[in-house]
Amino acid sequence: AQTVTQSQPEMSVQEAETVTLSCTYDTSESDYYLFWYKQPPSRQMILVIRQEAYKQQNATENRFSVNFQKAAKSFSLKISDSQLGDAAMYFCAYRTTRTGANSKLTFGKGITLSVRP
Amino acid sequence: GAVVSQHPSWVICKSGTSVKIECRSLDFQATTMFWYRQFPKQSLMLMATSNEGSKATYEQGVEKDKFLINHASLTLSTLTVTSAHPEDSSFYICSARKAGGFYSNQPQHFGDGTRLSIL
């Protein structure tokens, strides 16, 4: 079974600075998807960024980028120019590419990010 | 596009009553819907996966008779918490995904969640 590990429960960053959130995962599959979701205090789940394992290029979305290290099974999220609105809980998630019974998101425990003004 | 509407957003009811939560995909057909439960400051815990027209697949430890899931159409799934008790109080989130063939790259779209409080 796949597992996703987020070992840091909390992090803090100064506004306008850069922060990196760590995530590791374990799988025997060669092709899969990785995601970062943001959950602000409103508790809505917002997709931040997505990475296909077969792509070597790291995904980027504006101020958000990932460092995907497939061999190390590491998938960290970098937030540049942090803003107050980035304060939220962030979840790393894994999903197989196959449909069927196992085609579900496996979430990490999450990390609470606070942004200092 | 890809909006998932979840209703109600907050419900308070007495112990022993049953509560129904609706999850609708507003602008796409969702062959698969997921129901999660989340406690404060914790991760989402998958309760069950439902496919339109078939019985839901429950995760280990989730009581099927307690949490009834119905996915009767391609745009609607419901979760009914039967004979609810204070320990069922939690935040429930639904998620929907379009069909995508054998290898699916369709993302999951989440509803805004339902805060359930049992007195």
Side-chain angles (χ1 to χ4, degrees):
Chain A
Q2 294 82 15
T3 58
V4 177
T5 302
Q6 294 178 257
S7 57
Q8 305 156 302
E10 297 179 349
M11 283 194 77
S12 181
V13 64
Q14 188 74 36
E15 193 176 7
E17 297 294 312
T18 296
V19 64
T20 298
L21 311 182
S22 302
C23 173
T24 59
Y25 59 94
D26 189 26
T27 183
S28 59
E29 298 183 324
S30 60
D31 202 13
Y32 44 86
Y33 303 110
L34 295 166
F35 307 85
W36 277 98
Y37 282 90
K38 171 185 177 181
Q39 189 180 41
S42 65
R43 304 191 81 169
Q44 181 185 14
M45 291 291 286
I46 302 167
L47 177 63
V48 175
I49 202 163
R50 162 180 148 155
Q51 174 82 41
E52 287 94 342
Y54 69 87
K55 291 185 178 179
Q56 293 186 343
Q57 188 174 9
N58 289 325
T60 62
E61 286 289 342
N62 300 312
R63 297 183 296 108
F64 299 88
S65 62
V66 298
N67 184 4
F68 173 48
Q69 301 291 327
K70 191 172 183 179
K73 295 181 182 176
S74 171
F75 183 61
S76 60
L77 175 69
K78 185 172 80 172
I79 306 174
S80 304
D81 186 24
S82 297
Q83 301 175 0
L84 295 178
D86 294 334
M89 199 160 184
Y90 287 81
F91 295 98
C92 179
Y94 170 103
R95 203 186 95 198
T96 179
T97 55
R98 294 177 180 270
T99 57
N102 292 323
S103 183
K104 55 190 178 184
L105 286 170
T106 300
F107 287 97
K109 288 187 176 180
I111 179 171
T112 299
L113 177 68
S114 59
V115 181
R116 303 186 303 275
Chain B
V3 176
V4 176
S5 174
Q6 189 171 339
H7 178 80
S9 58
W10 197 355
V11 58
I12 303 173
C13 60
K14 294 181 179 179
S15 183
T17 59
S18 293
V19 180
K20 180 184 283 188
I21 302 170
E22 291 188 349
C23 180
R24 293 181 185 272
S25 56
L26 297 186
D27 51 1
F28 67 98
Q29 293 186 327
T31 53
T32 306
M33 286 189 172
F34 305 86
W35 287 95
Y36 298 87
R37 182 174 182 176
Q38 185 182 30
F39 293 104
K41 296 292 186 181
Q42 294 188 22
S43 188
L44 281 69
M45 181 189 76
L46 180 65
M47 300 175 67
T49 303
S50 71
N51 290 293
E52 185 265 338
S54 61
K55 290 184 179 180
T57 301
Y58 289 81
E59 295 298 304
Q60 192 172 8
V62 177
E63 300 177 59
K64 300 178 183 181
D65 296 331
K66 177 74 171 176
F67 299 100
L68 300 179
I69 291 171
N70 183 278
H71 191 166
S73 78
L74 286 172
T75 59
L76 174 64
S77 176
T78 60
L79 167 66
T80 301
V81 184
T82 62
S83 186
H85 292 283
E87 58 267 28
D88 299 322
S89 298
S90 190
F91 191 67
Y92 294 87
I93 306 174
C94 75
S95 179
R97 190 171 73 208
K98 299 179 189 178
F102 187 75
Y103 288 96
S104 174
N105 64 356
Q106 297 293 337
Q108 276 184 230
H109 305 284
F110 288 84
D112 288 345
T114 297
R115 184 177 299 176
L116 175 62
S117 298
I118 309 298
L119 304 177

